[in-house]
Amino acid sequence: MNNKDIPIHPDTTTFPHGKCAGCHDSAPLDFDFEYAYQPIVDLATRSIYAYEALVRGPNGESAASVLAQVTDANRYRFDQACRVKAVAGAAQLGMKEFLSINFLPNAVYRPEVCIRSTLEAARIHNFPTDKIIFEVTEGERVLDRPHLVNIFSEYRRFGFQTAIDDFGAGFAGLNLLAEYQPDIIKIDMDLVRDVDHHAPRQAIVRSIAGLCCELNIKVLAEGIETRAERDFLASCGITLMQGYWFSKPVFQGLADIPDSAWN
């Protein structure tokens, strides 16, 4: 989800029932949405490591058709609804792997309060909280980086994993990484595209892989569409992968990986 240049509101008042002011005052949603789930594989074990929840319209329409309806007035309620629906859908589908959920850092007032709906959804649907990954795109223009670092730190304290998506494409980059080391970094698909025969991209990907190894961060390459891309990334020691080569997102379902994707 990309909602750029949205300022973080300073109001962090907490109401007696546990909701922060922003979530309490947020306008109700007047549109519906669902999820598609795309597998993230571990090439080393030839298994599915996780599924990323990708927002879709109620009949499978594009993410853009949903995000176009998100406004300053309803984005807080939307962010909360996304978390709950993603967890509920994963549990209903019998997901045993990690569930990766995108979140809007500019829609979080106080992470220790705003996370309560996720914890409650996990409890109701019996989905393990240690199987949830919260990821934020590096392309999200976060106007208050310390706020994002605080969100990540709180989520880790609650037992969730954290990830930075689209690494190498956005506004935070190494400055964010110096302040906070997530569990996973997802290399932007523009760096992955044709990486097998593009020397500058190869150098950048190798550097990211080496840096993350030193920082004890898992590296995930996304947007893989060819065997050659897969094989180059594997040669760099990257085994977590995501892309059409393995499977497209499945609307309200979980994909199986064809044998040809591993060979």
Side-chain angles (χ1 to χ4, degrees):
M1 306 172 187
N2 294 328
N3 289 269
K4 298 179 175 62
D5 298 317
I6 303 160
I8 297 170
H9 293 250
D11 183 1
T12 58
T13 303
T14 302
F15 285 94
H17 46 59
K19 292 184 179 180
C20 67
C23 298
H24 179 270
D25 295 338
S26 177
L29 295 182
D30 58 0
F31 61 91
D32 197 9
F33 64 93
E34 292 294 339
Y35 271 106
Y37 296 88
Q38 185 176 29
I40 296 166
V41 307
D42 187 340
L43 193 66
T45 59
R46 295 193 170 198
S47 63
I48 296 176
Y49 176 81
Y51 287 91
E52 181 179 0
L54 300 167
V55 70
R56 295 289 186 267
N59 298 302
E61 297 90 344
S62 70
S65 70
V66 177
L67 297 177
Q69 301 177 76
V70 179
T71 67
D72 287 346
N74 66 21
R75 77 177 63 257
Y76 311 103
R77 191 71 60 89
F78 175 70
D79 184 68
Q80 292 289 302
C82 282
R83 301 155 182 254
V84 172
K85 183 161 286 192
V87 171
Q92 185 176 5
L93 292 168
M95 188 184 299
K96 303 301 181 186
E97 298 79 10
F98 285 97
L99 167 66
S100 189
I101 304 172
N102 293 271
F103 76 96
L104 302 172
N106 297 322
V108 177
Y109 285 94
R110 292 182 57 184
E112 73 277 14
V113 175
C114 294
I115 200 62
R116 292 180 183 177
S117 62
T118 310
L119 294 169
E120 181 66 6
R123 184 191 66 79
I124 291 173
H125 298 286
N126 197 30
F127 194 89
T129 54
D130 61 1
K131 285 289 188 180
I132 296 176
I133 303 168
F134 277 110
E135 65 174 82
V136 61
T137 177
E138 200 223 330
E140 178 88 19
R141 188 185 290 275
V142 179
L143 302 184
D144 186 350
R145 193 165 67 231
H147 180 65
L148 175 58
V149 171
N150 181 54
I151 294 171
F152 272 147
S153 299
E154 285 294 318
Y155 285 2
R156 178 170 283 170
R157 185 172 69 86
F158 279 105
F160 302 111
Q161 290 200 33
T162 57
I164 298 175
D165 194 9
D166 299 330
F167 188 79
F171 304 97
L174 296 177
N175 289 330
L176 174 59
L177 203 59
E179 295 182 44
Y180 179 83
Q181 297 77 52
D183 298 286
I184 299 170
I185 276 179
K186 300 178 72 172
I187 298 177
D188 181 63
M189 64 177 62
D190 285 343
L191 290 174
V192 169
R193 186 66 58 246
D194 299 323
V195 68
D196 51 291
H197 58 265
H198 193 283
R201 290 177 191 157
Q202 291 177 4
I204 293 169
V205 169
R206 288 194 189 100
S207 296
I208 292 173
L211 173 64
C212 289
C213 182
E214 288 193 43
L215 294 175
N216 197 30
I217 299 171
K218 297 184 183 75
V219 180
L220 192 164
E222 58 183 345
I224 297 167
E225 294 186 353
T226 69
R227 177 181 281 106
E229 291 170 352
R230 179 201 68 183
D231 291 347
F232 172 78
L233 294 161
S235 75
C236 297
I238 299 171
T239 63
L240 294 182
M241 302 183 184
Q242 181 180 7
Y244 284 9
W245 176 257
F246 298 99
S247 174
K248 293 181 178 181
V250 176
F251 183 62
Q252 296 180 324
L254 303 180
D256 293 319
I257 308 301
D259 290 340
S260 60
W262 306 117
N263 301 323

